[in-house]
Amino acid sequence: MAEEGGSLLFSLCSVVFVKSKDLSEALITELSQTIISYGGEVLEPKRSGELPLLNVTHIIANSINFPDYAEAARQMIPVVKTNWIKASLAKGKQAQIRPYTPDPRMIFSDVVLSCADIPPSDKDAIIGATMAMGGMDSENVTKLTTHICALSMDHPKCTIAMTKLKHCKIVLPHWFDDCFKLGKRIDEGPYLLPDPEYLSANSEDPIRVPSSQHLEGATSARPEFLPIPPDAGARPVLTVFKEKKVMLSADLSIRDRLKEIIQGLISNGGGQITDDVEACDWFICQYRDGPQYVLASQAGKTVGNLSWLYYLITHNEWTKPTDRLLHYPVPREGIPGFKDMRITVSNYGGEARIYLENLITAAGATYTKTMKNDNTHLITARNNSEKWDAAVDWGIERVNHFWIEESYAKCQKQAIEEKYQHFPPRTNLGEVIGKTPFDEERLRSLYFPGGQMNHTPSPKRKRRAAEMQESSFPNGPAEGVTIGRQAHKEFDVMKDTDAEYAEKTTEVFGVPAPKRRAAADRFATPAKGRHVRSGKENETPSTTSSSRSAKEKALNRLSILAPDVALYEKEKKRGLKDHHGPWGGKRAADLIEREHLNRRSVSSPSTVIEDGDAKAEKRPIKRARPTLPDVNMRVVLTGFQRWVSDKHREDADRKKLRDLGIAVVQDGNQCDYLVAPHLVRTVKFLRNLSKGATIVSSSWIEQCLDTKELLDPKEFILKDKENEKKFGIKLETSVRRARENKGKLLWNTPIYCTANIKNGPQGYKAIAEANGAIFMMYGARSGSTIKPTRPEEDEGGPDPVYLLSNTSADEKKLWTKFEDMATKGNMEARIVAADWLLDVVMNQEVFFDKKYLVENFFN
């Protein structure tokens, strides 16, 4: 690796490391030696803790929680994880920057993906969205590959990974789909081949409630006591307050004794307490109002609340207060629209439950431990619990925690959309709670409009930039950063020795002078500057500093990313292909919550007496009796005539059935039985048949209501010989096939539909997607959505692609265009009547007959 060019791998790099709990001093020392041994330079932070951004080409950090991150981003200085160094060594050249960014928005930043047996259209969508979120694509499996997307273990790529790459994870495409929908990266465990829990586990099996490490020290906006050190020993001297002026606002309402303790910790750590908001660096307050809050915010001060201050004291590590929702001052009147809401929580445990309770209160809503029919919302980590079932019956909105988090972060109640009602089947969403940052532009516009913008350089940096003059450098200028020998009347760059020049520039500017090159290089043709990206060859060298604006660079980057962003937006619009639902977890949630409360009992000495009083007042709480019996059966009704035009009777009958343990659920929810008077080809019937539900006669429901007893549904299995003959099926066989198909009868089969199809396209879309098909609309302005493919590029013969249509004059005009699109993609176009889809789903068997072609069917 160190031979020839390898020994100079980092020769154009000047890096600085940012120490954190994920990047220890020992690791920094080890990596620094590696950088230096490969020709690079390692710079040290300044005494004040600031990074020497003027001379840095790369910042090595495993998170963006350091004060200079925003300024580094504005100067376009790359910030990369330590894995970037390892990847560069493995490749023998500097690795790309983007896949190794610590920016949490790039959820796939350390993913190197290779797709196996994935259909081309899905493959392109997965790769495009993954790259848009920071990942990389690899056509072949290499030692850097971290994930293989596959449907089975039969592909050669999977064999290589199993035998040679133990670190490589083989995942189902469903993992990417769920991550894209949530906008967060969830654990791959349930999706890992060869035996993915996602496909094999029972939907009602419980899931372990995960711990929420990201919520540590951020569960309350108004903590009741100062946390003890993590090791429960003497509190170490704090360095996080070094050379910082801190102002405590009067609205904190803390006791004098506690205030003295906080002031002592700040002073002992090298900080200073001030009462002048203009002189402070950090302003600590409780509410987002008042002249001091507005002035501090407009002046670009760091504004946080008491919880944020306690976090700094406990961890001795800086973090941005807007990165955690309860580290920033709360709105005094809450968020508009939340005042009259009554919200409860289910399937979250431990710190996640406490965090949601406090977040709901901070938003201005009312939190309730139990749920009644006057609740407005249920926030749940899974769509299975007693509260979930009751919420379905009572018509209460059911959402995941992203809804309340993003409403609070954007200071506005968010409309309930698919993202907020998506629950991956074998994932408890508590594992990704607390990772939503504030929308800072929204905060500015609502609470402190005007004033200094966040991207304005500090006065100190302005003065230094004004004093420096752009000048030449033997290797050419660096992009985005001015480096080189500063022009000054006391300096003579031709006569001064390196030592004299370094001493003068340090005295005048406070920064070291750049090193001179060897004499042989001094008169050579100027080479490219430090910041010129690898891969750009044959550029004309420059001897003056670059004057390209940041806007041009940003536009260039956007033009490069545009295809990835477009693919990602397209992926986000894809509908849900399956309807698996996650269940359970309450007992585990209670266990973690009890463990958390036990840990909290060990508090600081100043609160021992208060805690003791609280314990003395606690009394055992009697468990309230459930208002309704357990749900034993969930049913979907179709073609049920008893309730037609009689809403009062329907409501009364639903209550009677619920008292018997029968819950009538909406179509699309998990059900045990489909109730129908006879065989029908309704959307409800076909969707639930596709799930393998047991189909019973509607007389079962009627007799249960009449006798007020729960009768055995197996005695009422639907038998309809007349319609079986009419539709050419055997119902018992169709149900058996549906259970074997598991909703994948038409898996990844492309089905297009015209807008003017009889009865509208929505019903056919629901039926097709319930069986795993890819359903798309097709019209006169539809572009080509099939990738052009030559026959020799495709494995096997042409696959069929279907268009549901009729014989109207307008639709006939579409046929030729559709056939051309299919031919270019090496696919067989089949323009059929919608009855083909209905008959295939009714039989639960894929077949085709030319009688379904529109030119034959309607003649």
Side-chain angles (χ1 to χ4, degrees):
M1 188 76 65
E3 295 178 0
E4 297 182 7
S7 61
L8 300 177
L9 178 61
F10 299 118
S11 61
L12 298 179
C13 298
S14 293
V15 307
V16 63
F17 289 89
V18 178
K19 183 181 176 182
S20 65
K21 61 183 179 181
D22 298 324
L23 185 52
S24 64
E25 192 69 47
L27 182 57
I28 290 176
T29 302
E30 178 185 342
L31 294 176
S32 297
Q33 293 173 353
T34 302
I35 293 288
I36 294 172
S37 65
Y38 281 84
E41 180 184 11
V42 178
L43 304 179
E44 294 293 331
K46 301 176 185 177
R47 279 179 36 181
S48 62
E50 293 184 7
L51 303 181
L53 299 182
L54 294 174
N55 296 329
V56 166
T57 63
H58 295 78
I59 298 173
I60 311 297
N62 284 338
S63 76
I64 64 172
N65 272 328
F66 58 94
D68 291 311
Y69 174 76
E71 183 62 28
R74 284 188 281 273
Q75 293 191 24
M76 304 184 78
I77 300 174
V79 181
V80 292
K81 298 179 183 178
T82 52
N83 288 341
W84 176 77
I85 299 175
K86 300 175 184 177
S88 298
L89 293 174
K91 291 182 175 182
K93 63 179 181 180
Q94 290 186 27
Q96 296 181 35
I97 297 297
R98 195 161 177 266
Y100 300 97
T101 173
D103 190 338
R105 295 172 298 178
M106 299 289 103
I107 61 175
F108 293 129
S109 62
D110 55 354
V111 171
V112 179
L113 170 67
S114 185
C115 290
D117 53 346
I118 306 297
S121 58
D122 287 349
K123 177 181 176 180
D124 292 342
I126 290 172
I127 291 173
T130 300
M131 293 180 67
M133 293 185 174
M136 290 181 65
D137 169 46
S138 175
E139 183 64 29
N140 301 314
V141 176
T142 69
K143 58 185 177 182
L144 294 178
T145 303
T146 62
H147 292 73
I148 294 176
C149 183
L151 293 169
S152 68
M153 297 295 293
D154 300 333
H155 199 277
K157 290 184 178 181
C158 301
T159 304
I160 295 173
M162 290 295 290
T163 56
K164 298 182 179 180
L165 300 174
K166 299 300 182 183
H167 69 279
C168 187
K169 298 178 180 179
I170 306 172
V171 297
L172 291 169
H174 306 72
W175 178 64
F176 292 94
D177 189 39
D178 287 336
C179 290
F180 297 152
K181 289 176 180 176
L182 295 172
K184 296 288 188 292
R185 180 172 169 177
I186 58 178
D187 182 47
E188 303 100 322
Y191 305 85
L192 291 178
L193 290 166
D195 185 23
E197 182 185 351
Y198 182 92
L199 299 178
S200 60
N202 191 316
S203 58
E204 297 184 359
D205 290 346
I207 297 177
R208 181 184 63 84
V209 177
S211 60
S212 305
Q213 297 179 354
H214 198 73
L215 293 177
E216 186 178 0
T219 58
S220 172
R222 196 165 191 168
E224 298 177 0
F225 56 87
L226 182 64
I228 61 175
D231 55 3
R235 194 182 300 276
V237 176
L238 302 176
T239 58
V240 71
F241 296 110
K242 188 175 182 180
E243 298 187 13
K244 299 297 181 184
K245 294 182 179 180
V246 183
M247 178 176 176
L248 303 178
S249 174
D251 70 353
L252 292 176
S253 301
I254 55 178
R255 299 187 302 273
D256 291 340
R257 173 58 181 159
L258 180 57
K259 189 173 183 179
E260 290 176 4
I261 294 173
I262 294 174
Q263 290 175 344
L265 291 171
I266 293 173
S267 299
N268 293 337
Q272 182 180 344
I273 295 293
T274 180
D275 292 327
D276 185 357
V277 67
E278 294 184 355
C280 75
D281 297 304
W282 298 347
F283 180 72
I284 313 300
C285 63
Q286 180 63 26
Y287 296 107
R288 302 177 198 169
D289 54 30
Q292 291 182 330
Y293 164 80
V294 174
L295 181 59
S297 300
Q298 290 181 340
K301 313 291 185 182
T302 299
V303 178
N305 61 13
L306 201 59
S307 179
W308 176 70
L309 182 64
Y310 284 178
Y311 181 92
L312 300 185
I313 293 173
T314 304
H315 296 79
N316 196 23
E317 182 180 61
W318 191 88
T319 182
K320 193 174 181 181
T322 51
D323 279 353
R324 292 180 171 91
L325 298 181
L326 295 183
H327 275 177
Y328 192 78
V330 300
R332 194 180 294 270
E333 302 298 331
I335 303 299
F338 278 84
K339 183 178 180 181
D340 297 325
M341 292 185 182
R342 294 176 59 82
I343 305 175
T344 189
V345 173
S346 178
N347 287 317
Y348 292 95
E351 290 188 332
R353 178 179 287 270
I354 297 171
Y355 163 77
L356 286 174
E357 292 176 11
N358 291 321
L359 188 60
I360 290 167
T361 302
T366 301
Y367 169 75
T368 65
K369 289 188 176 181
T370 60
M371 189 174 73
K372 299 180 180 179
N373 57 5
D374 62 345
N375 277 88
T376 59
H377 292 76
L378 169 65
I379 298 178
T380 177
R382 300 188 63 206
N383 58 355
N384 184 14
S385 66
E386 292 180 1
K387 285 185 177 180
W388 175 276
D389 295 336
V392 172
D393 291 341
W394 292 335
I396 296 173
E397 291 284 4
R398 304 168 299 284
V399 293
N400 56 39
H401 67 266
F402 296 122
W403 173 74
I404 184 73
E405 282 190 328
E406 294 190 6
S407 295
Y408 193 79
K410 297 178 180 179
C411 310
Q412 182 180 15
K413 186 180 74 171
Q414 300 299 296
I416 295 177
E417 55 188 39
E418 181 185 359
K419 174 183 179 179
Y420 305 134
Q421 294 184 317
H422 182 61
F423 301 93
R426 302 302 303 163
T427 299
N428 184 295
L429 292 179
E431 70 181 51
V432 287
I433 195 171
K435 294 186 177 182
T436 302
F438 273 101
D439 183 339
E440 295 186 44
E441 290 302 320
R442 183 69 177 166
L443 281 175
R444 170 179 295 277
S445 64
L446 288 179
Y447 296 102
F448 52 96
Q452 176 182 318
M453 297 297 290
N454 289 336
H455 57 262
T456 303
S458 64
K460 181 177 179 182
R461 187 168 286 124
K462 280 183 177 179
R463 288 195 299 271
R464 183 171 297 168
E467 291 172 357
M468 297 185 64
Q469 188 176 23
E470 294 184 342
S471 58
S472 62
F473 188 60
N475 273 356
E479 291 183 6
V481 184
T482 302
I483 60 176
R485 294 200 166 188
Q486 300 91 341
H488 198 276
K489 62 182 181 180
E490 298 177 5
F491 295 12
D492 189 335
V493 296
M494 299 301 292
K495 296 180 180 180
D496 285 346
T497 65
D498 283 349
E500 291 171 340
Y501 181 77
E503 182 179 356
K504 289 180 180 180
T505 190
T506 302
E507 288 177 359
V508 176
F509 299 105
V511 294
K515 297 179 180 178
R516 293 190 183 187
R517 302 283 293 205
D521 293 337
R522 200 171 298 156
F523 302 100
T525 302
K528 290 189 293 184
R530 286 184 174 181
H531 288 259
V532 177
R533 300 290 184 262
S534 59
K536 298 180 181 178
E537 301 180 358
N538 301 325
E539 292 181 351
T540 303
S542 172
T543 57
T544 59
S545 178
S546 171
S547 61
R548 290 187 303 164
S549 66
K551 182 182 292 185
E552 287 179 315
K553 298 172 190 174
L555 289 174
N556 289 338
R557 289 192 173 191
L558 284 176
S559 65
I560 295 171
L561 296 178
D564 293 343
V565 174
L567 282 172
Y568 170 58
E569 292 298 329
K570 177 181 176 182
E571 177 66 18
K572 281 179 26 178
K573 295 178 181 179
R574 293 181 60 186
L576 188 63
K577 293 183 181 178
D578 51 45
H579 298 275
H580 301 298
W583 287 264
K586 185 175 187 299
R587 186 172 299 174
D590 292 342
L591 176 61
I592 285 188
E593 186 171 1
R594 286 197 300 271
E595 291 176 352
H596 173 74
L597 293 175
N598 290 336
R599 291 197 303 271
R600 288 188 61 189
S601 63
V602 183
S603 61
S604 62
S606 62
T607 60
V608 170
I609 297 177
E610 295 176 3
D611 289 347
D613 293 339
K615 289 180 180 178
E617 293 175 0
K618 289 185 178 179
R619 296 290 184 272
I621 300 175
K622 293 183 179 179
R623 184 180 293 274
R625 289 188 176 182
T627 56
L628 294 170
D630 292 337
V631 175
N632 298 317
M633 303 175 186
R634 294 174 176 82
V635 302
V636 171
L637 305 180
T638 181
F640 194 59
Q641 299 298 313
R642 181 184 178 108
W643 298 339
V644 175
S645 302
D646 195 342
K647 179 64 176 174
H648 295 292
R649 186 178 187 183
E650 178 181 350
D651 293 340
D653 284 351
R654 281 177 178 267
K655 291 179 181 178
K656 291 178 183 178
L657 292 171
R658 187 64 182 83
D659 290 337
L660 295 175
I662 302 174
V664 179
V665 299
Q666 296 295 323
D667 183 32
N669 292 314
Q670 189 71 17
C671 74
D672 305 307
Y673 297 95
L674 172 64
V675 180
H678 50 79
L679 278 180
V680 289
R681 293 202 305 184
T682 63
V683 174
K684 281 186 179 181
F685 189 99
L686 294 174
R687 285 182 69 180
N688 289 281
L689 168 63
S690 303
K691 297 177 184 179
T694 301
I695 304 175
V696 297
S697 172
S698 55
S699 60
W700 171 57
I701 291 292
E702 292 177 345
Q703 290 191 33
C704 287
L705 290 170
D706 293 338
T707 61
K708 298 181 181 180
E709 294 179 1
L710 179 58
L711 304 177
D712 187 357
K714 294 180 181 178
E715 298 179 4
F716 296 85
I717 299 297
L718 182 63
K719 297 178 181 178
D720 188 356
K721 299 296 183 182
E722 180 179 351
N723 282 312
E724 283 184 349
K725 183 178 180 181
K726 174 182 176 182
F727 297 124
I729 70 166
K730 189 173 182 180
L731 186 57
E732 181 180 357
T733 303
S734 295
V735 172
R736 175 179 55 78
R737 288 173 179 167
R739 291 171 181 169
E740 293 172 353
N741 293 330
K742 297 180 180 180
K744 297 183 179 180
L745 172 68
L746 296 169
W747 184 253
N748 279 339
T749 300
I751 299 177
Y752 292 77
C753 183
T754 59
N756 297 323
I757 194 78
K758 184 180 179 181
N759 299 322
Q762 292 305 316
Y764 299 115
K765 178 181 180 181
I767 294 168
E769 292 183 344
N771 288 273
I774 301 172
F775 189 91
M776 290 168 282
M777 298 299 299
Y778 193 80
R781 297 185 179 181
S782 298
S784 178
T785 53
I786 298 177
K787 182 180 178 181
T789 306
R790 293 193 296 270
E792 58 270 18
E793 296 176 347
D794 209 354
E795 298 179 3
D799 292 327
V801 55
Y802 297 90
L803 173 64
L804 306 184
S805 181
N806 55 43
T807 54
S808 68
D810 290 337
E811 297 206 2
K812 285 183 178 180
K813 296 177 182 178
L814 303 175
W815 296 354
T816 302
K817 180 182 175 183
F818 180 79
E819 289 171 345
D820 290 341
M821 179 181 70
T823 301
K824 291 178 181 178
N826 193 35
M827 302 187 77
E828 178 186 355
R830 294 177 179 176
I831 304 172
V832 297
D835 288 67
W836 168 80
L837 175 63
L838 303 180
D839 288 349
V840 165
V841 174
M842 187 69 91
N843 280 273
Q844 279 297 297
E845 185 178 30
V846 179
F847 61 90
F848 179 74
D849 193 298
K850 290 186 177 181
K851 70 178 183 180
Y852 292 103
L853 295 174
V854 287
E855 60 263 31
N856 301 329
F857 189 87
F858 294 103
N859 290 334

